Amino acid sequence: MSVLPLVFTSGWASGINAYAVVLLLGIFGATGVSDEVPASLQRTDVLVVAGVLFLCELVADKIPYVDSVWDTAHTVIRPVSGAVVAALLAGGDGSLPELAAGAVGGSTALVSHLVKAGTRMAVNTSPEPFSNIAMSTVEDLGVAGVVTFAIFHPWIAATIAGTLLVFGLVILAFLASRIRRFLRRRAQRREEKRLTAVPSRWPDG
């Protein structure tokens, strides 16, 4: 129970930016800010890889349509990362509490990821790129702020994360029409590319 709020918060944050969660927790553990962070997340190689991938996401997440491709590729990565981080926070020895923590972290990360990916689809129906940059910046700051807050006030941070998750689901319901529009546009572009790639059956001349 002592790590449950941190597990939930890290799961929510992993669904938005899994690399930022690993990087932040690892830094907090390595610098002695928190004793809750397992040694495996504090390893130098883990921090370096998480840092590089975080920088990649920092860029990709702000480019229209590229962000949705990135989200699609991370549909499995973010929930798995949330589950692994949660299990490590709970002990990581394979016991029932650790498995339960992994389930909580993974499922929370999955829901959070779906909210983010759906919201980005709706945002991408707008022709200008500034909304993507603003949305990504707010997400990055939100993850950093809530995860940091969770180290010192885990239950309050978990409440904030839960509130944001529910709010995101409500917003997602209102954006359903825009999401369908984005999916139609993407299907049309794929069909156009497929037709362009098909060689002509008529001989030249």
Side-chain angles (χ1 to χ4, degrees):
M1 288 296 295
S2 62
V3 297
L4 181 59
L6 185 56
V7 162
F8 180 82
T9 302
S10 66
W12 168 81
S14 293
I16 299 174
N17 193 327
Y19 307 124
V21 174
V22 174
L23 184 62
L24 282 171
L25 291 178
I27 291 174
F28 289 147
T31 55
V33 174
S34 174
D35 296 329
E36 299 284 353
V37 182
S40 54
L41 293 178
Q42 303 177 34
R43 291 171 41 180
T44 302
D45 56 340
V46 172
L47 292 176
V48 170
V49 172
V52 171
L53 291 173
F54 169 73
L55 292 176
C56 292
E57 176 145 343
L58 196 67
V59 175
D61 206 42
K62 293 176 176 58
I63 304 174
Y65 292 99
V66 173
D67 58 349
S68 289
V69 174
W70 184 269
D71 285 338
T72 300
H74 284 73
T75 300
V76 175
I77 295 174
R78 287 170 182 160
V80 169
S81 177
V84 171
V85 169
L88 290 174
L89 289 172
D93 58 6
S95 63
L96 185 58
E98 282 72 37
L99 294 176
V104 170
S107 58
T108 305
L110 176 60
V111 175
S112 179
H113 163 75
L114 293 176
V115 169
K116 171 179 178 171
T119 304
R120 286 309 184 85
M121 288 181 186
V123 170
N124 279 330
T125 60
S126 175
E128 42 76 30
F130 303 108
S131 53
N132 297 75
I133 296 174
M135 181 70 70
S136 178
T137 302
V138 169
E139 290 171 351
D140 293 338
L141 293 176
V143 166
V146 174
V147 171
T148 301
F149 197 64
I151 296 297
F152 304 100
H153 304 285
W155 282 105
I156 299 177
T159 302
I160 295 172
T163 302
L164 291 174
L165 188 59
V166 172
F167 182 71
L169 290 171
V170 173
I171 294 297
L172 201 61
F174 281 103
L175 295 176
S177 61
R178 281 197 167 200
I179 295 171
R180 287 193 294 268
R181 192 188 314 163
F182 171 85
L183 293 175
R184 285 196 300 268
R185 287 181 179 178
R186 186 167 67 176
Q188 289 173 356
R189 285 197 301 272
R190 287 178 177 176
E191 182 64 17
E192 290 172 358
K193 288 182 179 179
R194 187 185 68 82
L195 294 176
T196 302
V198 174
S200 174
R201 294 183 179 181
W202 300 100
D204 296 335

